[in-house]
Amino acid sequence: MPILFNREVCQNLPTTIEKEWLESNGIGGYASSTIIGANTRRYHGLLTAATKPPLGRVLLLSKLEEILCIGEREYPLSTNVYPHTIYPEGYKNLIQFRLKPFPTFQYSIHGINIEKTVFMLSGENTTVILYQVGSTDSTSTTPVPLFLKVRVMVAFRDYHWLTHENPTLETGYEVLAHGICLRPYKTLPPMYLFHNAQSIDNVTFWYKNVEYSKEMERGLEAHEDYYSPFALHFDFCKRKDCYIVASTNRYDTLNVFELLNKEIESREKIGRDWRLKVDNPGLHSSTLTQGSLPKESAERIEKLKKLTEYLWSTSKSFIVKRENDKKSIIAGYHWFGDWGRDTMISLPGLTLIQGRFEEAREILLSYARYVSKGMIPNRFPDYGEMPEYNTVDASLWYIHAVYQYLHFSNDLQTMCQLYDVLREIIECYQKGTRYNIHMDRDGLIYAGADGIQLTWMDAKVGDWVVTPRMGKAVEVNALWYNALKIMSFFSQEMRLNNESVRYNTLAQKVSESFNEAFWFHEGRYLYDYVDGEIKNNAIRPNQVFAISLPYSMLSRKRQESIMEVVKGHLLTPFGLRSLSPEDKDYLGRHLGNPYERDKSYHQGAVWAWLIGPYISAYARVYADRKETRDDIERLLEPFYGHLYEAGLGTISEIFDGDFPHTPRGCISQAWSVAEILRVCFEYVF
């Protein structure tokens, strides 16, 4: 079933302006806007091209201004937001929006039905906008003449920036046999517009001061000017199907319906793969016990099936090709690139539980090429600079990802191929590497350098690190213990028995030191980090990893105590808070300028991806309870409703810590989607 909104929703401006759709092309480019076509972010547009896949993104085509002409009267289909003004008000003619397989808009004016479909071509910086006309009233007579005027509005800028009227823009364009070539700035690639319009209106405009409400929320510059070089006129009396194709590619021939059918078939295959997985969960399905299935649970299961169907389809948007044709994972839309930590955490949910082993293998092998001094990159910068290695945990997540790959795929050959890289990571962490990352005498990992934040709680404002965690971080050392146990297992598989013993012996030492250093007896939970005599007892979600990872060094009693503390202080319907509301530093709303938002990023904001490790920990601690699977279903159910709230069919990056837990940050986050998919298939289906 598609995500669908009817007339009542579509014509309710405060509601529709919050609902965003996203189309991606598998190389980092995308098209995105709200369901009424009003752009509310600087990142919204019909063609954001990845010029250096998956990065180098530039926003070329901002939007199309559409007017339906019936006889002498004009009726808008498009909507823009200006300061204190909505103009035109095309949303009042929108009677339906649906998502699946593509964003589709249905307008109705005096018995005339116009359907607009927007989709991107896989592997290309190409967006297709297709208009089809029909009658919604069989008794009505189609007025003559019937035209669609579509005015092209462009930005031609880096996708982080904003455009304003300026004299350097080149207003000319080249007319081609089947379209037009625009290149307003020589430093940016040309955009080709292919169409089947009957005529072109060459009058130019600057549309001044378009207002972006989401940028205002984020405390950023929120007004932009669009340049319009021409308008296209389509005569619906001569042709019922009209199109515009915006691309960085120059086509000699173009069959829009062949492209449409190809993309439909590709997405239908994704749906078939999902149904096969749900109907035949196989080896990695849930081992949790459950009694008879009550009606309430059966209804939840149906919701969770729909949830996973949407997320399964969405997951393809994160798997991207780099310029070298190697696969990677985009951390989130609209503004993230590919990040090492996010990639490794997301890998099981986006590839392994889906049986996409070749893609997972390619990603793991690709990152192995970038290992430097025992570290994988934290991120690849937007503009092709050298990778950044400022992360202590990403390499340990990499070892975990290889372990999960072997668990799902049974591909021992690839594990053997990567073994020397994994060994290098362990050795560098023992001896010491960048940013004072090293193993201390007690076997635990210490990390820290002034002004650098190395853990996933990495918000920083200028030189101010918001959540300083210099020293021995709890999740880093849980990952370290996990990595040593994994290496012991891998060594056994390779018949390297002496190495296996060494890794296991060190792991035992780490286990003892961890329990001694991190257990907070008074609170009966784990310190967040330890640095000499400093023992930080802030209640944060990082301690959950000491339970959720495959190997845990904690007793059952301590695990249960931690889960009660985390549940009482951090659990919300959409994940775990990053800090307890009882903490003096807690901030329950993620709003304001960059400084204010970075302050709250890890000081109370709810992170959706953390529901994954929480559920894994919950399943381990309460595996023998009949209610556990039912509890897990209840934990996942709210995400079904969220599919209809912000980024349609996907999961947001974060939510406010305070009720009503408004979604914030990126509208579509890889590890949010991945972790929910993973736990659904590991513990429910």
Side-chain angles (χ1 to χ4, degrees):
M1 294 293 293
I3 290 177
L4 185 148
F5 301 103
N6 59 20
R7 183 194 304 264
E8 287 71 26
V9 174
C10 291
Q11 297 181 8
N12 183 333
L13 187 63
T15 299
T16 57
I17 211 78
E18 297 296 324
K19 300 183 188 301
E20 303 176 53
W21 57 266
L22 178 100
E23 271 281 296
S24 63
N25 63 1
I27 56 173
Y30 62 83
S32 181
S33 188
T34 61
I35 68 171
I36 58 172
N39 293 343
T40 59
R41 298 181 187 272
R42 65 181 63 200
Y43 299 99
H44 281 162
L46 289 173
L47 179 58
T48 296
T51 60
K52 297 180 179 179
L55 304 174
R57 285 174 280 199
V58 291
L59 198 162
L60 303 179
L61 179 60
S62 292
K63 66 173 303 177
L64 300 173
E65 195 83 325
E66 303 139 332
I67 297 174
L68 182 67
C69 302
I70 305 175
E72 298 298 321
R73 299 194 63 181
E74 295 186 345
Y75 302 88
L77 307 184
S78 53
T79 302
N80 291 319
V81 179
Y82 297 96
H84 312 296
T85 302
I86 307 297
Y87 183 82
E89 297 179 308
Y91 71 94
K92 292 182 177 179
N93 296 314
L94 182 66
I95 63 168
Q96 186 187 96
F97 173 89
R98 65 182 183 272
L99 183 67
K100 192 182 181 185
F102 315 112
T104 303
F105 311 76
Q106 186 174 331
Y107 302 89
S108 183
I109 303 169
H110 295 308
I112 302 301
N113 181 44
I114 304 289
E115 186 166 276
K116 178 175 74 172
T117 302
V118 180
F119 64 95
M120 294 198 81
L121 302 188
S122 300
E124 297 185 21
N125 291 312
T126 301
T127 302
V128 179
I129 304 98
L130 174 66
Y131 302 91
Q132 296 173 288
V133 64
S135 175
T136 57
D137 182 355
S138 59
T139 64
S140 68
T141 301
T142 303
V144 178
L146 182 64
F147 285 93
L148 181 68
K149 297 179 181 179
V150 181
R151 180 155 289 280
V152 173
M153 302 166 76
V154 301
F156 272 82
R157 58 169 171 82
D158 180 281
Y159 75 138
H160 291 306
W161 302 350
L162 291 171
T163 288
H164 297 286
E165 182 177 2
N166 64 87
T168 62
L169 181 141
E170 174 57 53
T171 59
Y173 56 84
E174 178 186 0
V175 178
L176 309 174
H178 304 288
I180 293 167
C181 176
L182 281 167
R183 193 167 194 178
Y185 304 103
K186 298 300 182 185
T187 56
L188 294 175
M191 179 177 69
Y192 299 94
L193 285 174
F194 304 95
H195 61 86
N196 61 351
Q198 276 69 44
S199 61
I200 300 176
D201 178 353
N202 290 309
V203 176
T204 65
F205 292 102
W206 276 97
Y207 284 72
K208 304 292 288 293
N209 220 25
V210 177
E211 186 168 272
Y212 298 144
S213 57
K214 290 298 180 182
E215 302 305 314
M216 295 178 73
E217 281 183 15
R218 301 171 69 224
L220 299 173
E221 185 182 358
H223 298 89
E224 181 164 36
D225 302 337
Y226 298 149
Y227 175 67
S228 178
F230 54 81
L232 301 172
H233 289 192
F234 299 89
D235 187 344
F236 276 136
C237 295
K238 294 181 179 180
R239 181 179 285 115
K240 302 299 183 184
D241 302 314
C242 305
Y243 65 80
I244 297 173
V245 179
S247 180
T248 57
N249 297 341
R250 181 166 182 164
Y251 290 98
D252 293 325
T253 60
L254 199 65
N255 187 317
V256 167
F257 288 97
E258 282 185 6
L259 299 175
L260 175 64
N261 291 333
K262 181 180 178 182
E263 289 301 317
I264 288 174
E265 171 57 29
S266 173
R267 300 186 197 203
E268 285 180 346
K269 181 183 183 303
I270 293 171
R272 291 194 296 271
D273 291 343
W274 168 81
R275 285 190 293 273
L276 185 64
K277 176 68 175 179
V278 169
D279 294 339
N280 303 280
L283 175 64
H284 305 292
S285 57
S286 173
T287 57
L288 295 174
T289 59
Q290 185 175 16
S292 60
L293 199 64
K295 180 181 178 182
E296 181 185 359
S297 181
E299 292 173 351
R300 278 201 307 271
I301 288 292
E302 287 307 307
K303 286 184 178 180
L304 296 185
K305 283 184 177 180
K306 291 177 183 177
L307 172 66
T308 58
E309 181 183 9
Y310 290 127
L311 297 188
W312 189 288
S313 177
T314 295
S315 66
K316 77 174 186 64
S317 69
F318 302 110
I319 310 294
V320 295
K321 279 189 176 183
R322 297 193 64 82
E323 284 185 283
N324 58 11
D325 281 338
K326 297 296 183 183
K327 295 288 180 67
S328 188
I329 292 177
I330 287 282
Y333 290 96
H334 301 91
W335 50 79
F336 279 112
D338 44 346
W339 291 58
R341 175 193 297 115
D342 300 57
T343 295
M344 298 310 144
I345 292 172
S346 302
L347 194 80
L350 298 186
T351 63
L352 299 179
I353 60 102
Q354 302 185 34
R356 300 165 71 171
F357 301 137
E358 185 55 38
E359 288 180 327
R361 177 179 181 274
E362 190 173 311
I363 291 167
L364 292 171
L365 291 174
S366 179
Y367 268 84
R369 295 169 52 243
Y370 291 100
V371 171
S372 169
K373 299 181 181 179
M375 301 173 71
I376 70 168
N378 183 30
R379 76 181 188 102
F380 295 91
D382 280 345
Y383 307 108
E385 303 96 324
M386 291 295 293
E388 298 176 359
Y389 287 88
N390 54 323
T391 169
V392 61
D393 55 332
S395 297
L396 303 178
W397 278 115
Y398 181 77
I399 294 174
H400 174 264
V402 175
Y403 178 77
Q404 292 297 314
Y405 173 78
L406 179 62
H407 174 65
F408 279 87
S409 70
N410 295 314
D411 179 6
L412 190 62
Q413 182 178 354
T414 298
M415 185 275 287
C416 293
Q417 187 176 350
L418 292 170
Y419 184 82
D420 285 343
V421 173
L422 306 183
R423 179 198 280 143
E424 177 189 348
I425 291 171
I426 297 296
E427 289 177 352
C428 287
Y429 272 58
Q430 286 180 288
K431 297 175 182 177
T433 184
R434 298 177 178 89
Y435 306 113
N436 199 22
I437 298 170
H438 67 277
M439 186 179 75
D440 211 344
R441 286 177 295 180
D442 57 5
L444 300 177
I445 296 298
Y446 183 99
D450 289 337
I452 303 292
Q453 181 58 296
L454 301 172
T455 72
W456 80 276
M457 290 189 160
D458 56 0
K460 184 180 175 185
V461 182
D463 294 329
W464 175 49
V465 175
V466 181
T467 50
R469 303 178 72 228
M470 187 181 298
K472 300 169 183 177
V474 64
E475 81 280 10
V476 171
N477 282 284
L479 283 161
W480 174 239
Y481 174 78
N482 191 65
L484 292 171
K485 295 293 288 186
I486 288 171
M487 290 301 292
S488 178
F489 169 73
F490 285 170
S491 300
Q492 279 186 321
E493 292 293 302
M494 296 186 66
R495 307 288 195 273
L496 301 173
N497 294 331
N498 289 338
E499 284 195 31
S500 178
V501 170
R502 286 202 303 273
Y503 287 128
N504 202 45
T505 300
L506 179 54
Q508 183 59 36
K509 179 179 181 180
V510 170
S511 173
E512 294 170 1
S513 298
F514 184 95
N515 276 277
E516 181 178 347
F518 284 99
W519 184 248
F520 178 33
H521 288 276
E522 183 179 342
R524 303 200 61 75
Y525 59 90
L526 297 176
Y527 290 115
D528 189 56
Y529 67 88
V530 174
D531 187 9
E533 297 302 313
I534 299 173
K535 294 180 179 291
N536 184 274
N537 62 2
I539 299 176
R540 294 190 181 275
N542 304 305
Q543 58 192 306
V544 169
F545 296 104
I547 308 171
S548 65
L549 291 166
Y551 297 96
S552 175
M553 72 293 280
L554 298 173
S555 67
R556 173 66 177 271
K557 187 175 181 180
R558 288 190 171 183
Q559 290 177 357
E560 290 178 348
S561 180
I562 291 168
M563 292 302 291
E564 288 301 310
V565 170
V566 170
K567 179 182 178 181
H569 288 261
L570 305 179
L571 183 63
T572 76
F574 299 107
L576 300 184
R577 294 185 180 94
S578 44
L579 184 65
S580 168
E582 296 180 10
D583 195 289
K584 62 179 176 58
D585 293 323
Y586 173 80
L587 295 169
R589 293 278 189 267
H590 185 75
L591 286 171
N593 60 39
Y595 173 81
E596 292 167 329
R597 284 184 286 112
D598 280 341
K599 277 175 62 179
S600 67
Y601 206 40
H602 299 294
Q603 299 285 64
V606 173
W607 289 76
W609 79 275
L610 292 174
I611 199 65
Y614 179 82
I615 286 175
S616 291
Y618 194 91
R620 167 176 275 170
V621 174
Y622 305 114
D624 55 351
R625 290 173 43 186
K626 288 185 178 181
E627 302 87 357
T628 295
R629 182 170 164 179
D630 193 57
D631 291 343
I632 289 173
E633 292 172 16
R634 293 176 189 275
L635 288 168
L636 291 165
E637 185 178 11
F639 290 102
Y640 171 73
H642 174 61
L643 295 176
Y644 296 80
E645 288 182 340
L648 301 180
T650 187
I651 307 296
S652 297
E653 178 189 10
I654 57 174
F655 298 76
D656 282 345
D658 289 348
F659 184 83
H661 308 297
T662 303
R664 308 287 187 190
C666 277
I667 65 167
S668 186
Q669 197 75 1
W671 57 11
S672 300
V673 170
E675 281 295 274
I676 291 168
L677 274 173
R678 179 183 67 81
V679 294
C680 276
F681 282 103
E682 286 193 354
Y683 303 113
V684 178
F685 301 130

mmCIF file of all heavy atoms in Angstrom, residues 144-168:
data_model
loop_
_atom_site.group_PDB
_atom_site.id
_atom_site.type_symbol
_atom_site.label_atom_id
_atom_site.label_comp_id
_atom_site.label_asym_id
_atom_site.label_seq_id
_atom_site.Cartn_x
_atom_site.Cartn_y
_atom_site.Cartn_z
ATOM 1 N N VAL A 144 -11.731 23.800 -24.171
ATOM 2 C CA VAL A 144 -10.699 24.035 -25.182
ATOM 3 C C VAL A 144 -10.487 25.544 -25.252
ATOM 4 O O VAL A 144 -11.456 26.305 -25.337
ATOM 5 C CB VAL A 144 -11.134 23.480 -26.558
ATOM 6 C CG1 VAL A 144 -10.051 23.781 -27.613
ATOM 7 C CG2 VAL A 144 -11.376 21.987 -26.485
ATOM 8 N N PRO A 145 -9.298 26.047 -25.269
ATOM 9 C CA PRO A 145 -8.041 25.302 -25.187
ATOM 10 C C PRO A 145 -7.680 24.883 -23.754
ATOM 11 O O PRO A 145 -8.225 25.426 -22.797
ATOM 12 C CB PRO A 145 -7.017 26.294 -25.713
ATOM 13 C CG PRO A 145 -7.588 27.628 -25.336
ATOM 14 C CD PRO A 145 -9.079 27.486 -25.452
ATOM 15 N N LEU A 146 -6.744 23.939 -23.681
ATOM 16 C CA LEU A 146 -6.285 23.438 -22.384
ATOM 17 C C LEU A 146 -4.761 23.363 -22.429
ATOM 18 O O LEU A 146 -4.193 22.543 -23.154
ATOM 19 C CB LEU A 146 -6.882 22.054 -22.110
ATOM 20 C CG LEU A 146 -6.542 21.408 -20.765
ATOM 21 C CD1 LEU A 146 -7.108 22.226 -19.610
ATOM 22 C CD2 LEU A 146 -7.077 19.978 -20.712
ATOM 23 N N PHE A 147 -4.109 24.265 -21.674
ATOM 24 C CA PHE A 147 -2.652 24.359 -21.682
ATOM 25 C C PHE A 147 -2.089 24.175 -20.272
ATOM 26 O O PHE A 147 -2.756 24.481 -19.276
ATOM 27 C CB PHE A 147 -2.195 25.736 -22.193
ATOM 28 C CG PHE A 147 -2.329 25.925 -23.667
ATOM 29 C CD1 PHE A 147 -3.480 26.497 -24.204
ATOM 30 C CD2 PHE A 147 -1.318 25.539 -24.528
ATOM 31 C CE1 PHE A 147 -3.616 26.684 -25.561
ATOM 32 C CE2 PHE A 147 -1.440 25.722 -25.892
ATOM 33 C CZ PHE A 147 -2.592 26.295 -26.414
ATOM 34 N N LEU A 148 -0.857 23.728 -20.237
ATOM 35 C CA LEU A 148 -0.079 23.728 -18.988
ATOM 36 C C LEU A 148 1.148 24.593 -19.215
ATOM 37 O O LEU A 148 1.950 24.327 -20.127
ATOM 38 C CB LEU A 148 0.341 22.313 -18.584
ATOM 39 C CG LEU A 148 1.147 22.209 -17.283
ATOM 40 C CD1 LEU A 148 0.272 22.574 -16.083
ATOM 41 C CD2 LEU A 148 1.731 20.804 -17.104
ATOM 42 N N LYS A 149 1.263 25.658 -18.420
ATOM 43 C CA LYS A 149 2.450 26.512 -18.474
ATOM 44 C C LYS A 149 3.383 26.119 -17.332
ATOM 45 O O LYS A 149 2.966 26.114 -16.172
ATOM 46 C CB LYS A 149 2.069 27.988 -18.332
ATOM 47 C CG LYS A 149 1.184 28.525 -19.445
ATOM 48 C CD LYS A 149 0.853 29.994 -19.188
ATOM 49 C CE LYS A 149 -0.066 30.554 -20.276
ATOM 50 N NZ LYS A 149 -0.418 31.983 -20.014
ATOM 51 N N VAL A 150 4.605 25.803 -17.664
ATOM 52 C CA VAL A 150 5.582 25.380 -16.659
ATOM 53 C C VAL A 150 6.796 26.295 -16.739
ATOM 54 O O VAL A 150 7.546 26.271 -17.729
ATOM 55 C CB VAL A 150 6.013 23.912 -16.859
ATOM 56 C CG1 VAL A 150 7.012 23.508 -15.782
ATOM 57 C CG2 VAL A 150 4.799 22.991 -16.823
ATOM 58 N N ARG A 151 6.976 27.115 -15.732
ATOM 59 C CA ARG A 151 8.123 28.026 -15.690
ATOM 60 C C ARG A 151 9.258 27.369 -14.922
ATOM 61 O O ARG A 151 9.082 26.905 -13.795
ATOM 62 C CB ARG A 151 7.743 29.358 -15.058
ATOM 63 C CG ARG A 151 8.899 30.348 -14.993
ATOM 64 C CD ARG A 151 8.444 31.770 -14.948
ATOM 65 N NE ARG A 151 7.893 32.236 -16.217
ATOM 66 C CZ ARG A 151 8.652 32.620 -17.250
ATOM 67 N NH1 ARG A 151 9.978 32.579 -17.158
ATOM 68 N NH2 ARG A 151 8.099 33.045 -18.356
ATOM 69 N N VAL A 152 10.417 27.315 -15.552
ATOM 70 C CA VAL A 152 11.607 26.684 -14.975
ATOM 71 C C VAL A 152 12.287 27.650 -14.019
ATOM 72 O O VAL A 152 12.516 28.824 -14.362
ATOM 73 C CB VAL A 152 12.572 26.257 -16.096
ATOM 74 C CG1 VAL A 152 13.883 25.750 -15.519
ATOM 75 C CG2 VAL A 152 11.914 25.191 -16.980
ATOM 76 N N MET A 153 12.619 27.165 -12.819
ATOM 77 C CA MET A 153 13.243 28.010 -11.796
ATOM 78 C C MET A 153 14.514 27.311 -11.311
ATOM 79 O O MET A 153 14.455 26.185 -10.815
ATOM 80 C CB MET A 153 12.267 28.252 -10.643
ATOM 81 C CG MET A 153 10.969 28.907 -11.120
ATOM 82 S SD MET A 153 9.621 28.871 -9.924
ATOM 83 C CE MET A 153 10.130 30.158 -8.803
ATOM 84 N N VAL A 154 15.665 27.979 -11.470
ATOM 85 C CA VAL A 154 16.950 27.335 -11.193
ATOM 86 C C VAL A 154 17.712 28.067 -10.092
ATOM 87 O O VAL A 154 17.481 29.248 -9.826
ATOM 88 C CB VAL A 154 17.825 27.260 -12.463
ATOM 89 C CG1 VAL A 154 17.105 26.482 -13.560
ATOM 90 C CG2 VAL A 154 18.209 28.653 -12.951
ATOM 91 N N ALA A 155 18.630 27.326 -9.475
ATOM 92 C CA ALA A 155 19.511 27.896 -8.449
ATOM 93 C C ALA A 155 20.966 27.843 -8.894
ATOM 94 O O ALA A 155 21.704 28.810 -8.786
ATOM 95 C CB ALA A 155 19.335 27.159 -7.128
ATOM 96 N N PHE A 156 21.420 26.662 -9.375
ATOM 97 C CA PHE A 156 22.807 26.453 -9.796
ATOM 98 C C PHE A 156 23.781 26.899 -8.709
ATOM 99 O O PHE A 156 24.420 27.947 -8.795
ATOM 100 C CB PHE A 156 23.097 27.178 -11.111
ATOM 101 C CG PHE A 156 22.786 26.339 -12.324
ATOM 102 C CD1 PHE A 156 21.496 26.245 -12.797
ATOM 103 C CD2 PHE A 156 23.785 25.609 -12.958
ATOM 104 C CE1 PHE A 156 21.193 25.468 -13.891
ATOM 105 C CE2 PHE A 156 23.502 24.822 -14.058
ATOM 106 C CZ PHE A 156 22.197 24.744 -14.532
ATOM 107 N N ARG A 157 23.873 26.073 -7.680
ATOM 108 C CA ARG A 157 24.729 26.415 -6.539
ATOM 109 C C ARG A 157 25.110 25.149 -5.790
ATOM 110 O O ARG A 157 24.499 24.089 -5.961
ATOM 111 C CB ARG A 157 23.975 27.352 -5.588
ATOM 112 C CG ARG A 157 22.657 26.761 -5.060
ATOM 113 C CD ARG A 157 22.094 27.589 -3.927
ATOM 114 N NE ARG A 157 20.751 27.213 -3.527
ATOM 115 C CZ ARG A 157 20.446 26.202 -2.715
ATOM 116 N NH1 ARG A 157 21.401 25.416 -2.238
ATOM 117 N NH2 ARG A 157 19.182 25.957 -2.380
ATOM 118 N N ASP A 158 26.106 25.262 -4.942
ATOM 119 C CA ASP A 158 26.397 24.230 -3.964
ATOM 120 C C ASP A 158 25.152 24.009 -3.109
ATOM 121 O O ASP A 158 24.452 24.961 -2.758
ATOM 122 C CB ASP A 158 27.569 24.685 -3.084
ATOM 123 C CG ASP A 158 27.927 23.655 -2.022
ATOM 124 O OD1 ASP A 158 27.210 23.597 -0.998
ATOM 125 O OD2 ASP A 158 28.901 22.922 -2.209
ATOM 126 N N TYR A 159 24.874 22.760 -2.771
ATOM 127 C CA TYR A 159 23.593 22.483 -2.108
ATOM 128 C C TYR A 159 23.521 23.016 -0.684
ATOM 129 O O TYR A 159 22.426 23.076 -0.114
ATOM 130 C CB TYR A 159 23.265 20.994 -2.155
ATOM 131 C CG TYR A 159 24.025 20.078 -1.222
ATOM 132 C CD1 TYR A 159 23.369 19.055 -0.549
ATOM 133 C CD2 TYR A 159 25.388 20.201 -1.013
ATOM 134 C CE1 TYR A 159 24.035 18.199 0.299
ATOM 135 C CE2 TYR A 159 26.067 19.357 -0.165
ATOM 136 C CZ TYR A 159 25.394 18.346 0.491
ATOM 137 O OH TYR A 159 26.067 17.502 1.337
ATOM 138 N N HIS A 160 24.646 23.439 -0.109
ATOM 139 C CA HIS A 160 24.634 24.063 1.212
ATOM 140 C C HIS A 160 24.360 25.571 1.149
ATOM 141 O O HIS A 160 24.023 26.169 2.164
ATOM 142 C CB HIS A 160 25.979 23.874 1.915
ATOM 143 C CG HIS A 160 26.277 22.460 2.320
ATOM 144 N ND1 HIS A 160 25.430 21.694 3.086
ATOM 145 C CD2 HIS A 160 27.368 21.675 2.079
ATOM 146 C CE1 HIS A 160 25.975 20.502 3.299
ATOM 147 N NE2 HIS A 160 27.134 20.470 2.697
ATOM 148 N N TRP A 161 24.545 26.170 -0.014
ATOM 149 C CA TRP A 161 24.517 27.618 -0.116
ATOM 150 C C TRP A 161 23.123 28.119 -0.505
ATOM 151 O O TRP A 161 22.159 27.362 -0.571
ATOM 152 C CB TRP A 161 25.542 28.100 -1.150
ATOM 153 C CG TRP A 161 26.945 27.683 -0.864
ATOM 154 C CD1 TRP A 161 27.409 27.104 0.286
ATOM 155 C CD2 TRP A 161 28.065 27.789 -1.742
ATOM 156 N NE1 TRP A 161 28.762 26.849 0.187
ATOM 157 C CE2 TRP A 161 29.196 27.261 -1.058
ATOM 158 C CE3 TRP A 161 28.249 28.281 -3.030
ATOM 159 C CZ2 TRP A 161 30.459 27.215 -1.622
ATOM 160 C CZ3 TRP A 161 29.520 28.234 -3.602
ATOM 161 C CH2 TRP A 161 30.599 27.713 -2.899
ATOM 162 N N LEU A 162 23.025 29.417 -0.768
ATOM 163 C CA LEU A 162 21.796 30.033 -1.267
ATOM 164 C C LEU A 162 22.139 30.958 -2.441
ATOM 165 O O LEU A 162 23.234 31.516 -2.503
ATOM 166 C CB LEU A 162 21.096 30.841 -0.163
ATOM 167 C CG LEU A 162 20.489 30.037 0.993
ATOM 168 C CD1 LEU A 162 20.023 30.969 2.099
ATOM 169 C CD2 LEU A 162 19.337 29.172 0.512
ATOM 170 N N THR A 163 21.190 31.103 -3.358
ATOM 171 C CA THR A 163 21.381 31.958 -4.526
ATOM 172 C C THR A 163 20.615 33.275 -4.344
ATOM 173 O O THR A 163 19.491 33.275 -3.835
ATOM 174 C CB THR A 163 20.869 31.259 -5.797
ATOM 175 O OG1 THR A 163 21.761 30.208 -6.141
ATOM 176 C CG2 THR A 163 20.784 32.220 -6.977
ATOM 177 N N HIS A 164 21.238 34.367 -4.782
ATOM 178 C CA HIS A 164 20.563 35.663 -4.806
ATOM 179 C C HIS A 164 20.824 36.326 -6.157
ATOM 180 O O HIS A 164 21.813 36.013 -6.830
ATOM 181 C CB HIS A 164 21.055 36.557 -3.666
ATOM 182 C CG HIS A 164 20.742 35.999 -2.307
ATOM 183 N ND1 HIS A 164 19.477 36.002 -1.780
ATOM 184 C CD2 HIS A 164 21.534 35.397 -1.380
ATOM 185 C CE1 HIS A 164 19.492 35.426 -0.582
ATOM 186 N NE2 HIS A 164 20.728 35.053 -0.323
ATOM 187 N N GLU A 165 19.931 37.204 -6.562
ATOM 188 C CA GLU A 165 20.094 37.861 -7.855
ATOM 189 C C GLU A 165 21.485 38.468 -7.964
ATOM 190 O O GLU A 165 21.959 39.156 -7.050
ATOM 191 C CB GLU A 165 19.032 38.958 -8.023
ATOM 192 C CG GLU A 165 19.107 39.645 -9.372
ATOM 193 C CD GLU A 165 18.016 40.667 -9.567
ATOM 194 O OE1 GLU A 165 17.200 40.872 -8.627
ATOM 195 O OE2 GLU A 165 17.959 41.270 -10.662
ATOM 196 N N ASN A 166 22.140 38.209 -9.088
ATOM 197 C CA ASN A 166 23.513 38.692 -9.253
ATOM 198 C C ASN A 166 23.810 38.890 -10.736
ATOM 199 O O ASN A 166 23.213 38.234 -11.593
ATOM 200 C CB ASN A 166 24.507 37.708 -8.628
ATOM 201 C CG ASN A 166 24.495 36.369 -9.332
ATOM 202 O OD1 ASN A 166 25.196 36.172 -10.320
ATOM 203 N ND2 ASN A 166 23.684 35.430 -8.844
ATOM 204 N N PRO A 167 24.739 39.803 -11.059
ATOM 205 C CA PRO A 167 25.031 40.117 -12.465
ATOM 206 C C PRO A 167 25.944 39.103 -13.143
ATOM 207 O O PRO A 167 26.150 39.184 -14.363
ATOM 208 C CB PRO A 167 25.716 41.489 -12.371
ATOM 209 C CG PRO A 167 26.373 41.478 -11.022
ATOM 210 C CD PRO A 167 25.462 40.696 -10.127
ATOM 211 N N THR A 168 26.518 38.165 -12.395
ATOM 212 C CA THR A 168 27.457 37.213 -13.000
ATOM 213 C C THR A 168 26.754 36.029 -13.649
ATOM 214 O O THR A 168 27.382 35.254 -14.364
ATOM 215 C CB THR A 168 28.444 36.683 -11.941
ATOM 216 O OG1 THR A 168 27.709 35.980 -10.928
ATOM 217 C CG2 THR A 168 29.209 37.829 -11.289
#
